[in-house]
Amino acid sequence: MKLEAKFYSENNRLYFLDGTELDSLKAAAIAPSSCAGADDPKTLYRVATPWTQVGLDEDSYNEEFLAGFRDDLKFLEQKNVFVLVEPAVDSPADTPAKKEDLVASFKHCARRIKDCTAVAGFAVPAEADADFFLEELSAKHKHYVFFSRDEELLKKNDKIVRIQ
């Protein structure tokens, strides 16, 4: 299922397709467990999504968590509320293999929530290789916008949206 984009990014800022800005600097942080409670369509929500909950590698993906997360995101569609998935790296990503596992885990997460129109995109985790993360998640999710706090990454790519 291919979703149409609802947003575009320019100069590290986020816009609805009609040109109205959605302030990413005021994105409210919420946990996946309270995500269904988000209710303001004028607020972008950051869903801090723990890597350990998603699953640290392909042998440990938590399909029950991901199914519940998807259900909550589908509920947000009815309220016209938008979120960005912010990977919370709560396990060491201190080797190249673990960094690849991190990207693979959130690529799997993206695959599980691919039909959720409430998802504006993903934050690029500081622990991941940014180019690899962007390449892997963009391959099948062209409608996603990417977010970051990393000043170097933001300077290098003005299509990545700045978050606090």
Side-chain angles (χ1 to χ4, degrees):
M1 165 184 233
K2 182 179 176 186
L3 295 180
E4 296 298 320
K6 292 188 178 253
F7 299 96
Y8 69 94
S9 57
E10 185 174 273
N11 297 323
N12 302 121
R13 296 168 80 156
L14 181 65
Y15 299 92
F16 286 100
L17 294 181
D18 70 1
T20 305
E21 184 174 3
L22 184 56
D23 191 349
S24 62
L25 295 177
K26 293 181 180 175
I30 56 174
S33 60
S34 61
C35 150
D39 60 2
D40 183 358
K42 295 181 181 171
T43 299
L44 178 67
Y45 293 90
R46 288 183 294 116
V47 183
T49 310
W51 183 20
T52 55
Q53 282 292 302
V54 172
L56 296 174
D57 58 40
E58 66 181 306
D59 295 326
S60 69
Y61 293 150
N62 186 341
E63 299 301 340
E64 183 178 343
F65 167 78
L66 292 168
F69 188 34
R70 180 191 173 277
D71 289 346
D72 289 343
L73 293 169
K74 293 300 281 181
F75 181 71
L76 292 181
E77 290 176 12
Q78 300 168 30
K79 299 193 276 185
N80 206 33
V81 171
F82 298 99
V83 302
L84 71 97
V85 176
E86 184 172 29
V89 183
D90 57 346
S91 183
D94 52 2
T95 67
K98 287 182 181 179
K99 289 177 188 287
E100 285 184 22
D101 285 341
L102 171 64
V103 173
S105 291
F106 282 95
K107 180 179 178 182
H108 182 72
C109 177
R111 188 177 312 120
R112 289 297 312 240
I113 62 174
K114 70 181 176 216
D115 66 336
C116 297
T117 60
V119 178
F122 276 72
V124 180
E127 296 83 357
D129 174 275
D131 292 333
F132 182 61
F133 186 87
L134 294 168
E135 178 183 323
E136 287 293 297
L137 270 73
S138 294
K140 293 204 175 186
H141 307 284
K142 303 270 186 221
H143 62 287
Y144 282 159
V145 174
F146 292 94
F147 301 81
S148 183
R149 292 179 183 82
D150 183 319
E151 288 300 324
E152 290 302 312
L153 183 57
L154 292 164
K155 286 178 191 173
K156 183 172 121 177
N157 187 338
D158 77 340
K159 297 294 184 193
I160 296 176
V161 176
R162 182 183 310 278
I163 55 174
Q164 290 290 342

